[in-house]
Amino acid sequence: MTAIATAPTSPKDILAAYRANARAMASVDGRPGDRSDFPGLGLPATGMIYSRGKGLQYQALKAPAVPLTPDLLEKAIIEPMASTVVSDAKTWAKVLVMADNLPSNDFKALGRRLRISRGLPVSLKLPVLTESLGCRYWLPDTLNETSLDDWADAFGVKGPSITFTMRSLIALAEAGARPAALKYEIAVKSMEEMERKIMEQAAWGGISNDCYVYSMLEGYSAKANGLRTIDPGLLEMHVIDGQACRIVPMNSDSREFSASVSSPFKLKEGKKVRLTDGKEMVEVDLRALRFGDGALHAVFSQPSARGAGLLMVSKARKLEAKLYAVDGVFESFGAGPKNKRWLGDDVQKVTGRDVPLDVMLAGAPTTD
């Protein structure tokens, strides 16, 4: 009985087919293909962690290798602008086991901080090399993305030692564009500062502190996912899952323009969005959504006359270039609670409370 191939119908299936096709094309070319335009490693690497026998080694890029110690590990997660690259996920798991075997009162809950680091969408302080390469390149589908050896074989950089191989692969993971117009450097610097603060703050227990850490994690995740969404190399892929929307401008006046939009469409009416052609970026308002001729159309405010916004819209309207809309809130910082009891700040008493009339009539107290 002959199997009949069916075309994918759901966004999830279409995305899986897109990934499979990209890896198949890499197999045909016999070399990993570009996936992202941004680097796979946000910060330049300052050190490496890898397995040697049953132990773990740490090596600063300009120093000899030494056994990994809790002191070195703690320094790696809180030192400003440091990025210590872990070879693969198995080595990362060994790092966590080492931290878990420490006495609970040593190194300010190092294991707890490492679990938080591993839960980030992407860590700048302790990135995993194989995962960073997977963000930057499509590996041929005959190879395993979690294998450092497979990545080295694919690029032909496997050397006489793991340090030689890692240095070569780190250089490949760091390759990519850092466009100022897309605010790449600004976003990365902000994320590095936020991750470092998360790692410092997460050393302490208590529900108030946990709330503060959680708020920073939310801000960090929003920024990381937002930066990934505007990656020029990933825009077409994100159109499939709705994180980005391809738009074609139509009618316009001095204040706003309407555009047809791709599906699935996840942007919300009345919110700020960002328009990008993969080279420039501007912020506009999504003012309204309308249905016409069985299709969805969006109404956006006109970009400012300053900058490249009007030209981007004009080129897209003439079908001379593609234009995308993405969520515009990812630059926001995680906000900490105002009443920081654990920091010793005075907490203001709540006064002047307004009680709804129906609650007041039900016998609720109306004063503090």
Side-chain angles (χ1 to χ4, degrees):
M1 185 174 182
T2 304
I4 300 175
T6 57
T9 54
S10 71
K12 183 177 180 180
D13 291 338
I14 296 173
L15 186 59
Y18 180 96
R19 293 174 182 272
N21 181 66
R23 293 195 65 181
M25 290 300 297
S27 296
V28 172
D29 295 339
R31 183 178 176 84
D34 284 339
R35 172 182 177 178
S36 163
D37 284 352
F38 290 167
L41 290 173
L43 293 174
T46 56
M48 305 182 295
I49 294 175
Y50 54 89
S51 299
R52 175 174 289 173
K54 295 183 178 180
L56 294 167
Q57 295 288 114
Y58 168 82
Q59 184 171 357
L61 293 190
K62 297 182 180 179
V66 296
L68 181 65
T69 65
D71 299 273
L72 289 172
L73 191 53
E74 185 176 40
K75 183 179 179 182
I77 63 176
I78 62 174
E79 185 177 12
M81 302 308 290
S83 179
T84 304
V85 182
V86 184
S87 60
D88 53 27
K90 289 182 179 178
T91 301
W92 219 107
K94 291 181 181 180
V95 172
L96 186 57
V97 169
M98 184 190 80
D100 283 343
N101 286 336
L102 295 172
S104 60
N105 60 339
D106 284 356
F107 297 98
K108 299 178 182 177
L110 187 56
R112 164 187 162 89
R113 286 183 284 174
L114 291 179
R115 282 188 170 81
I116 291 174
S117 173
R118 193 70 176 118
L120 295 173
V122 59
S123 170
L124 298 180
K125 309 296 290 180
L126 282 176
V128 177
L129 181 53
T130 52
E131 294 172 2
S132 299
L133 288 165
C135 289
R136 178 66 179 85
Y137 302 99
W138 293 111
L139 187 68
D141 59 7
T142 55
L143 301 175
N144 185 352
E145 287 185 317
T146 64
S147 169
L148 192 72
D149 287 340
D150 280 8
W151 279 105
D153 288 340
F155 280 110
V157 297
K158 195 168 185 177
S161 67
I162 187 172
T163 56
F164 180 95
T165 300
M166 282 190 67
R167 286 175 185 272
S168 299
L169 290 175
I170 284 171
L172 288 164
E174 288 179 344
R178 297 168 173 81
L182 299 185
K183 300 182 179 180
Y184 176 86
E185 296 285 5
I186 294 174
V188 167
K189 187 175 186 299
S190 176
M191 286 167 59
E192 191 279 336
E193 292 175 354
M194 189 175 291
E195 183 176 1
R196 180 164 46 83
K197 290 177 181 177
I198 290 171
M199 291 296 100
E200 291 175 346
Q201 198 69 36
W204 311 100
I207 188 169
S208 295
N209 189 64
D210 287 347
C211 290
Y212 185 38
V213 170
Y214 179 78
S215 72
M216 288 194 290
L217 288 172
E218 288 286 286
Y220 184 94
S221 296
K223 294 174 74 63
N225 291 330
L227 191 62
R228 184 176 293 169
T229 302
I230 62 167
D231 185 329
L234 300 179
L235 284 169
E236 281 298 319
M237 188 177 76
H238 286 313
V239 167
I240 297 173
D241 61 17
Q243 293 184 59
C245 171
R246 191 187 303 114
I247 70 172
V248 179
M250 298 182 296
N251 302 321
S252 66
D253 57 34
S254 60
R255 295 179 299 174
E256 59 189 27
F257 70 92
S258 62
S260 62
V261 299
S262 61
S263 178
F265 184 83
K266 296 183 179 180
L267 301 177
K268 295 182 179 180
E269 191 176 54
K271 298 291 185 178
K272 293 283 185 184
V273 299
R274 292 188 174 189
L275 304 183
T276 180
D277 59 358
K279 299 177 182 177
E280 303 282 345
M281 186 169 65
V282 295
E283 189 173 78
V284 297
D285 296 318
L286 174 52
R287 292 183 171 171
L289 297 174
R290 300 170 182 168
F291 282 94
D293 297 326
L296 179 65
H297 302 277
V299 179
F300 300 94
S301 62
Q302 285 284 12
S304 168
R306 295 176 294 178
L310 290 177
L311 182 59
M312 283 197 299
V313 173
S314 176
K315 285 185 174 181
R317 184 180 181 185
K318 298 175 184 176
L319 302 181
E320 296 175 355
K322 293 181 179 180
L323 188 61
Y324 304 86
V326 300
D327 195 349
V329 301
F330 64 86
E331 285 295 332
S332 61
F333 289 85
K338 293 182 180 180
N339 294 338
K340 303 175 183 178
R341 295 179 185 270
W342 65 94
L343 295 180
D345 293 356
D346 292 336
V347 179
Q348 299 297 322
K349 184 179 180 181
V350 177
T351 58
R353 180 173 56 194
D354 293 325
V355 179
L357 180 60
D358 55 343
V359 176
M360 185 186 305
L361 295 176
T366 58
T367 59
D368 296 313

